[in-house]
Amino acid sequence: VMNNGLDGADKPDYLATIDLDPSSPTYSKVIHRLKMPQPGDELHHMGWNACSSCHGKLGVVTHNHLVVPGVISGNVYFIDVKHDPRAPRIHKTIEAKELAEKAGVGLPHTTHCAPNEIIMSFMGGPKEDGFPSAGTGFVSLNPETLEIIGRWEQGTRKPTYGYDFWYQPRHNVMVSSEWGEPLCFVNGFDPDHVADGKYGQKLYVWDWTERTLLQELDLGLGAIPLEVRFLHDPSKAEGFVGCAFTSEVVRFFKKPDDSWATEAVVKIPAVPVEGWALPEMPALITDILLSLDDRFMYVSCWLHGDVRQYDITDTRNPRMVGQVYIGGSLKKGGSVKSKCSEQPEPLVIKGVEVQGGAQMLQLSLDGKRLYVSTSLFSFWDRQFYPDLKAKGAQVVQLDVDTDIGGLRVNPDFLVDFG
C-alpha cells in the first residue's frame, strides 16, 4: 500500500497488488493499483473481515474483504479481494463522518475479526476535533453488513491512549497497547514529548466477555508499546509486545492468581552516534511477528534498520538466531556515524538502494518467506528518512531457515515504489 500523507497530497493512496509467483514474468512487480476515492487517507495496518481462525465456521467466508483504514482521513474501506484477487475493488466505505457521529472516533488502526463481529481500534477522536485522545477506544462492526454496531468497550475505565490489540478468548482476555497523544505523533517525533508523558507506556488487560478494562501494566516512561502478539497456541496465556523507544520486547503472562504481569525478555542497546537528534539512537522496534508454530519471533528495528529472528522455544529467554540489515539510519555513507560499532553496508537489490528501515513484517504460512516494508508513517518518514519521500519505499523478501534459524535477503525480489 502506498500513501501520500496529509500535507496537501494531490494523488490518492492506492492498494498495490503484487505478483508473488517466482515462475511468473511479473514476479515481485505491482500488477494492479486500486486508487482510493480521494487523497489524504494514509492507508495503514490492514486486516480481514474474517481471518483463518474463522475457517470452517458456518456461513462465514474468510479473506473475502480486506479492511483498509485511512489513519489520517478516518475513512475505512472494505476491499473485495475474492472475486478477482489480481484486481481488487472497493466493496464498501465507512466514512470518517459516520464513525465520528456514531462512535466519536478517529485515527483507525488495527482490525481483528471476532466470533460475531469485527473489532477496530481507534487512537483518538474525530479529525475535525483535533484527534482528542479521549476518543481512544474500539468500535464493533457487523461482519455481514459491515455496518457500525457501536463502541465495543463497556464500563467507566478507559485507556489513556490507543494503538494495537489482540485477544485470547479461551482465557477471556484482550490486551491492548498505546502509541501516544495523537497531536504529538501525527506531527513527527519530538523526544521532549516522551519526558512529558505524551507517549504511551502501558498495556491494558480487558475482560473479553464483559468488555471492561481490568488491569493496567506500566512498562515505564517512554516505553511506547506497539504491536501485541499472543502465542498462537490457544492454551497458552502469554504473548509479547514490542516497545519502540526503549527497544525492548516485553513478555506478558497470566499469573496463578489470574492477574497479569510483564517482564522484558529482549533488550536491544541504543547505539552512541554523531550527527543525529540524540546522542544515542534507539533501535525503535515497530513490529514483531510470531511464526504459526510459535517457535520463532521476528523483530523489526526501524532506526537501526535490521530484522532479528529469535528462537522463542523458551519464551522467557529468546535467543537470536538470525539478523539482516534492511537499510536503516546506521548504514554506511549516511550522515549518522556510530561511535562504537561497525556500520552496515547499504542494501542494494537489483540496482536499487533500499530506503528507510525495516518496518512492517509479514510471514508466509510455511514460515519460509518473510516480507519486509520500509515506510513507517509519512510524518516520521520525512523526519528520519528524507530521501524516502523523494526516492520511494520498498518491500523486500527474506528467506528463512526454519530448521536452525537464519535470514537471507532474496536477491530476486524487490518491490520498488520509487
Side-chain angles (χ1 to χ4, degrees):
V1 175
M2 281 291 294
N3 53 60
N4 296 291
L6 181 66
D7 57 340
D10 59 357
K11 296 180 180 180
D13 300 354
Y14 64 85
L15 179 70
T17 303
I18 300 165
D19 187 345
L20 300 183
D21 182 358
S23 65
S24 170
T26 55
Y27 175 59
S28 84
K29 302 294 185 183
V30 175
I31 57 175
H32 184 266
R33 292 173 174 84
L34 175 64
K35 292 184 179 180
M36 299 300 106
Q38 62 190 38
D41 279 314
E42 184 105 14
L43 302 181
H44 189 79
H45 217 283
M46 300 176 293
W48 291 103
N49 69 306
C51 69
S52 299
S53 61
C54 297
H55 181 71
K57 184 178 179 181
L58 186 64
V60 176
V61 180
T62 61
H63 300 104
N64 60 336
H65 291 128
L66 194 63
V67 186
V68 183
V71 66
I72 294 298
S73 71
N75 299 324
V76 177
Y77 302 98
F78 296 88
I79 311 299
D80 180 352
V81 297
K82 197 75 170 183
H83 286 90
D84 187 355
R86 296 177 68 88
R89 60 194 182 194
I90 296 176
H91 172 73
K92 177 183 174 62
T93 303
I94 300 179
E95 295 187 351
K97 182 179 180 181
E98 184 180 357
L99 283 160
E101 291 174 348
K102 294 182 177 180
V105 293
L107 294 169
H109 193 263
T110 301
T111 301
H112 284 306
C113 64
N116 299 301
E117 61 190 330
I118 299 169
I119 306 172
M120 291 193 71
S121 66
F122 290 78
M123 299 182 288
K127 178 180 176 181
E128 57 267 27
D129 296 335
F131 303 126
S133 57
T136 293
F138 307 90
V139 170
S140 175
L141 305 173
N142 186 305
E144 295 181 359
T145 66
L146 307 179
E147 297 288 343
I148 299 170
I149 297 174
R151 294 289 288 237
W152 177 86
E153 69 272 23
Q154 303 293 320
T156 58
R157 293 183 67 183
K158 304 290 183 183
T160 305
Y161 306 121
Y163 190 72
D164 195 32
F165 70 101
W166 204 272
Y167 61 88
Q168 185 55 275
R170 189 172 296 189
H171 297 280
N172 192 38
V173 66
M174 183 177 89
V175 174
S176 66
S177 63
E178 55 182 12
W179 189 355
E181 177 63 48
L183 286 183
C184 292
F185 67 72
V186 300
N187 290 304
F189 180 68
D190 182 344
D192 290 340
H193 289 155
V194 176
D196 294 339
K198 299 294 186 181
Y199 277 92
Q201 62 186 73
K202 295 179 181 179
L203 289 180
Y204 298 93
V205 181
W206 301 78
D207 183 304
W208 175 247
T209 303
E210 298 296 326
R211 308 183 179 204
T212 54
L213 180 56
L214 296 177
Q215 192 177 353
E216 299 180 8
L217 304 174
D218 196 328
L219 306 181
L221 183 66
I224 315 183
L226 296 181
E227 304 295 338
V228 178
R229 303 287 182 257
F230 269 101
L231 294 182
H232 292 95
D233 183 344
S235 69
K236 300 294 180 63
E238 63 178 310
F240 301 94
V241 64
C243 297
F245 197 64
T246 54
S247 302
E248 295 179 337
V249 177
V250 171
R251 172 179 172 261
F252 56 86
F253 57 95
K254 187 165 69 172
K255 297 164 60 178
D257 64 0
D258 288 339
S259 67
W260 289 75
T262 63
E263 60 178 351
V265 293
V266 172
K267 298 182 180 181
I268 302 175
V271 175
V273 293
E274 295 177 346
W276 199 64
L278 297 172
E280 291 189 332
M281 179 185 291
L284 206 77
I285 295 173
T286 53
D287 198 11
I288 65 171
L289 182 68
L290 307 185
S291 60
L292 286 177
D293 61 2
D294 291 331
R295 183 183 171 195
F296 294 114
M297 173 173 65
Y298 300 90
V299 178
S300 65
C301 304
W302 191 61
L303 287 178
H304 288 183
D306 55 324
V307 177
R308 295 173 173 227
Q309 179 190 25
Y310 291 89
D311 185 318
I312 55 169
T313 304
D314 179 355
T315 57
R316 299 194 65 183
N317 295 284
R319 179 172 57 90
M320 191 168 77
V321 292
Q323 182 183 31
V324 168
Y325 278 87
I326 311 292
S329 292
L330 293 176
K331 65 183 179 183
K332 290 181 179 179
S335 59
V336 177
K337 306 299 179 185
S338 172
K339 290 184 176 181
C340 67
S341 60
E342 184 177 353
Q343 296 178 248
E345 296 288 342
L347 177 61
V348 178
I349 303 176
K350 294 185 173 182
V352 176
E353 182 176 332
V354 173
Q355 303 298 315
Q359 212 286 90
M360 293 302 293
L361 306 172
Q362 184 65 49
L363 188 66
S364 60
L365 294 179
D366 62 5
K368 295 182 178 181
R369 298 179 308 283
L370 182 66
Y371 297 92
V372 186
S373 64
T374 63
S375 168
L376 173 61
F377 187 53
S378 64
F379 304 91
W380 291 43
D381 289 348
R382 287 193 294 270
Q383 179 178 355
F384 292 104
Y385 294 107
D387 286 347
L388 192 150
K389 178 176 175 58
K391 298 180 180 180
Q394 289 78 34
V395 176
V396 304
Q397 185 243 304
L398 307 181
D399 294 324
V400 180
D401 187 326
T402 56
D403 293 324
I404 61 174
L407 299 172
R408 183 180 68 86
V409 174
N410 180 350
D412 298 319
F413 186 96
L414 179 76
V415 184
D416 183 15
F417 293 104

